[in-house]
């Protein structure tokens, strides 16, 4: 397939259909995977956090920056990093009341697992956003929210990032936080929304 002449490649309409079908299936899995009680716990944790620190690498770095951008409107005391050294240094100085929100598609990225372990030792709450319900990172996290209900052990060798699901979960979390902020007439929200 890799050596197939360009003329034998799937037509653009087939590619469009496959990508759109895949994206739709990711969102359907996402709806099934995000349990209301877990969503509520994550929203409350972020709402009550003194500081929120988002970290991610590779494709997950895109989600980390997106989440930071969305949450900054509600909590200006949040930040994000994609640099492993900085992430570990900052995780070491987190405290009780702080949240490390770590994003890893596989849940197996060693620097993200190490950063989460450091944050836990510092007393911070660790929230993990992964694509699989079982992984070393979800096992370590205080709260884990996943884009699928699948077990990552079945997909260890597969490059299967589900950024559509990650972004959707961030949107759901932030929409819940925005709703609470509007209901409570949050000064911070009104100022940032202007």
């Amino acid at each position: 397939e890799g050596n197939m002449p360009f003329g034998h490649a799937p037509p653009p309409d087939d590619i469009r259909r496959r990508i759109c079908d895949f994206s739709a299936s990711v969102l359907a899995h996402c709806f099934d995977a995000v349990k209301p009680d877990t969503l509520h716990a994550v929203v409350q944790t972020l709402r009550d956090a003194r500081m929120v620190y988002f970290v991610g690498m590779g494709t997950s770095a895109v989600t980390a920056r997106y989440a930071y951008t969305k949450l900054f409107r509600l909590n200006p005391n949040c930040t994000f990093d994609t640099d492993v050294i900085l992430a570990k240094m900052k995780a070491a100085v987190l405290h009780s009341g702080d949240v490390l929100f770590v994003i890893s598609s596989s849940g197996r990225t060693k620097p993200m697992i190490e950063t989460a372990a450091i944050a836990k030792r510092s007393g911070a709450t660790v929230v993990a956003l992964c694509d699989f319900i079982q992984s070393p990172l979800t096992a370590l996290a205080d709260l884990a929210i996943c884009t699928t209900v699948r077990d990552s052990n079945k997909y260890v060798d597969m490059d299967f990032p589900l950024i559509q699901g990650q972004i959707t979960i961030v949107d759901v979390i932030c929409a819940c936080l925005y709703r609470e902020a509007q209901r409570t007439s949050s000064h911070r929200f009104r100022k940032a929304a202007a």
Side-chain angles (χ1 to χ4, degrees):
E1 228 181 298
N3 296 328
M4 184 183 298
F6 182 74
H8 291 80
D13 191 50
D14 285 353
I15 294 170
R16 176 183 61 90
R17 184 174 293 108
R18 288 180 196 173
I19 296 295
C20 289
D21 288 350
F22 173 74
S23 294
S25 73
V26 168
L27 297 181
H29 283 290
C30 201
F31 182 81
D32 293 337
V34 178
K35 302 301 179 202
D37 56 338
T38 305
L39 175 62
H40 179 74
V42 170
V43 168
Q44 297 306 308
T45 297
L46 293 175
R47 184 200 66 191
D48 298 338
R50 185 186 71 83
M51 196 272 288
V52 180
Y53 181 39
F54 295 97
V55 295
M57 294 175 60
T59 305
S60 297
V62 174
T63 306
R65 183 179 181 98
Y66 180 77
Y68 157 74
T69 303
K70 298 281 281 191
L71 191 65
F72 183 79
R73 295 177 68 196
L74 293 169
N75 183 355
N77 197 15
C78 66
T79 188
F80 87 101
D81 272 308
T82 59
D83 181 283
V84 176
I85 305 286
L86 284 175
K88 289 179 181 179
M89 289 169 55
K90 288 182 182 178
V93 296
L94 294 175
H95 301 285
S96 177
D98 295 336
V99 173
L100 174 73
F101 195 115
V102 60
I103 302 160
S104 170
S105 183
S106 69
R108 296 177 175 280
T109 306
K110 187 176 178 185
M112 295 295 94
I113 296 166
E114 292 169 350
T115 301
I118 292 167
K120 281 193 77 143
R121 284 195 299 271
S122 298
T125 300
V126 175
V127 176
L129 172 55
C130 300
D131 289 334
F132 305 104
I133 199 161
Q134 291 181 358
S135 70
L137 184 57
T138 58
L140 178 64
D142 297 295
L143 291 166
I145 197 160
C146 303
T147 63
T148 71
V149 293
R150 297 171 306 159
D151 179 344
S152 66
N153 293 327
K154 296 177 185 174
Y155 298 90
V156 171
D157 298 325
M158 228 173 147
D159 183 19
F160 202 65
L162 302 174
I163 194 166
Q164 299 98 330
Q166 293 174 359
I167 295 293
T168 299
I169 288 173
V170 168
D171 284 342
V172 169
I173 291 168
C174 288
C176 292
L177 287 165
Y178 289 169
R179 185 189 60 157
E180 281 195 22
Q182 287 175 319
R183 195 171 54 227
T184 59
S185 300
S186 166
H187 172 70
R188 206 164 46 192
F189 176 78
R190 288 193 318 270
K191 190 172 180 181

